[in-house]
Amino acid sequence: MSTEIRPFRIEIATADLDDLNDRLDRARWPRELPGEGWSRGVPGAFLRELARYWRQEYDWRGHEARLNEFPQFMTEIDGQDIHFLHVRSAEPGALPLVLTHGWPNSFLEFTELVDRLTDPGAYGGDPARAFHVVVPSLPGFGFSAPPRGTGWTAARVARIWVELMRRLGYERYGAQGGDFGAYVAPEVAKAAPDDVVGVYVISGLGFPSEKDLPEMTEDERAAYARLMEQDWMNGVDHHGLLRAAPQTFTYGWHDSPVAALAWMIQKFHEFNASGRPLDEVIDRDLFLTNVSLYWFTGTFGTSAWPYYESTGFGWPEGQTVAPTGVYSGPPGIRRLAERHNTILHWPEDNPGGHHFIAMDQPDHLAADIRAFFAKVG
């Protein structure tokens, strides 16, 4: 097995850009279904306007150049080509930190966060709390190769991350993750307990389930009720859909940019807990760059493996081999999280917002990551 680390640049062929534009020009638009707002799915006017902007005003080449400002690499681990960003801080003593993105996102999830972690002084933070940042693309996401065969789990991904950090020469580091990354980051600590100094997750630890209700307080039951009312708990069941028939839906997402765009809008809308319109929470160009990455890499289907490899939904549990910190405690319950974690950092006053908080609140997230790892030492 080769252990070579190869430089990588994003270079989407002009023919692929022309093909996308041609498909957008020839979009076949359906009739509107009855119902107001989002009651039947993505509103037609919203989708048409974003598709128009994607076709006529969005500048892929400009964003491609911006992404290529980050040092990017490829290396083969476990038979997989793994794409990753590796941005070293100029600060002496910076702590290495591996960030794991979620679905339906990509390494792009952290592009607004990287500089805030590697150069905190430029953003009003303590330069002594800087990080060397590693952002791998999950197998089957973006430029990482799709999994070969079945049998993939968060633990298997974590073992790849451990080997990647070893290959980069890091013997002491932190692990961070949200969404699917909240399952992977604790597994990194389990796989390398002598190397991982702390695990930081966005949210999801200590989330109550129905079986916890008998022992919950009145306030906790109220929080549970609010949790169950959230759009992301009651929208399109992507867990069930992608477990049951991901190949069937992939044909549409892979062939039609409008279908792909509508699917992404649907999920990012449901994942928006800010109370504000989606386009006020996540920058439109940032969102479209993520959609474009999925489109150009053909990964709408290959990124579905965390779901069709699962047998059902369960909240992340965490681990006990390293201290744990979270960005957002509620609606998680700390004492429930402490069944499986050594909680060192559990704030309840961080600003909420979108599920992908790094795209919505990068300043607050970076500051909280620094606060947690300062406690770790």
Side-chain angles (χ1 to χ4, degrees):
M1 178 186 72
S2 171
T3 60
E4 178 187 10
I5 294 176
R6 313 182 302 275
F8 178 83
R9 283 181 59 82
I10 303 172
E11 295 176 327
I12 300 302
T14 299
D16 290 340
L17 280 167
D18 292 342
D19 176 70
L20 169 61
N21 289 334
D22 178 62
R23 289 170 187 264
L24 287 169
D25 285 337
R26 294 186 296 105
R28 185 168 177 248
W29 294 95
R31 294 184 182 92
E32 287 284 332
L33 300 181
E36 297 182 0
W38 293 79
S39 62
R40 297 293 184 271
V42 180
F46 187 96
L47 181 60
R48 283 175 180 268
E49 170 54 24
L50 197 54
R52 182 205 65 78
Y53 180 83
W54 195 14
R55 171 62 179 92
Q56 297 179 11
E57 297 183 47
Y58 172 79
D59 176 18
W60 165 259
R61 290 299 186 204
H63 292 285
E64 181 183 69
R66 162 65 178 138
L67 294 178
N68 281 327
E69 292 176 3
F70 294 102
Q72 298 176 68
F73 304 89
M74 298 283 283
T75 193
E76 181 185 336
I77 305 175
D78 194 9
Q80 298 287 131
D81 264 345
I82 299 296
H83 164 262
F84 63 98
L85 309 185
H86 182 205
V87 188
R88 287 186 59 85
S89 174
E91 298 295 335
L95 177 69
L97 180 64
V98 57
L99 310 178
T100 306
H101 65 81
W103 176 95
N105 222 317
S106 62
F107 73 93
L108 189 83
E109 181 177 340
F110 300 120
T111 52
E112 297 301 308
L113 186 66
V114 170
D115 288 348
R116 290 166 169 82
L117 295 177
T118 58
D119 187 15
Y123 296 88
D126 182 356
R129 296 298 173 189
F131 298 88
H132 303 307
V133 175
V134 179
V135 187
S137 294
L138 289 164
F141 289 69
F143 299 101
S144 284
R148 298 180 180 180
T150 57
W152 283 80
T153 62
R156 186 169 179 179
V157 173
R159 292 192 294 271
I160 292 177
W161 283 194
V162 169
E163 170 58 22
L164 174 61
M165 297 302 276
R166 186 202 65 79
R167 199 170 289 184
L168 293 173
Y170 295 135
E171 298 177 350
R172 179 180 179 273
Y173 54 90
Q176 182 273 350
D179 192 81
F180 187 60
Y183 298 83
V184 174
E187 294 294 338
V188 174
K190 293 179 185 178
D194 295 332
D195 300 337
V196 175
V197 300
V199 173
Y200 181 94
V201 299
I202 299 300
S203 188
L205 297 181
F207 274 28
S209 63
E210 195 169 329
K211 67 181 180 182
D212 297 311
L213 284 172
E215 63 177 277
M216 288 165 60
T217 67
E218 185 175 339
D219 287 345
E220 290 170 347
R221 291 187 183 202
Y224 176 71
R226 289 193 296 273
L227 168 66
M228 300 307 292
E229 293 170 357
Q230 295 297 311
D231 281 349
W232 50 274
M233 290 291 292
N234 296 288
V236 176
D237 182 7
H238 58 276
H239 292 269
L241 185 154
L242 294 177
R243 270 199 309 274
Q247 187 67 58
T248 299
F249 295 96
T250 296
Y251 297 119
W253 299 325
H254 188 81
D255 188 62
S256 167
V258 169
L261 181 62
W263 176 234
M264 281 289 199
I265 293 172
Q266 178 73 39
K267 295 318 301 180
F268 271 69
H269 168 75
E270 289 173 354
F271 288 172
N272 179 17
S274 71
R276 295 175 289 143
L278 177 61
D279 53 1
E280 294 180 11
V281 178
I282 293 180
D283 177 78
R284 179 167 54 173
D285 276 27
L286 190 63
F287 171 77
L288 283 173
T289 301
N290 187 57
V291 179
S292 299
L293 278 171
Y294 271 76
W295 176 264
F296 290 131
T297 58
T299 50
F300 284 96
T302 61
S303 63
W305 68 262
Y307 299 95
Y308 63 75
E309 290 283 9
S310 67
T311 57
F313 175 74
W315 297 113
E317 285 191 349
Q319 50 75 46
T320 57
V321 299
T324 293
V326 299
Y327 175 81
S328 176
I333 299 170
R334 181 167 183 163
R335 63 180 178 80
L336 298 183
E338 287 176 337
R339 294 181 297 192
H340 304 288
N341 299 269
T342 303
I343 301 294
L344 189 64
H345 182 75
W346 185 271
E348 299 192 2
D349 58 354
N350 276 330
H354 200 276
H355 176 65
F356 297 124
I357 198 73
M359 302 173 84
D360 176 19
Q361 303 274 0
D363 286 316
H364 290 290
L365 178 57
D368 201 62
I369 290 174
R370 291 195 295 269
F372 167 64
F373 282 101
K375 296 176 183 178
V376 171

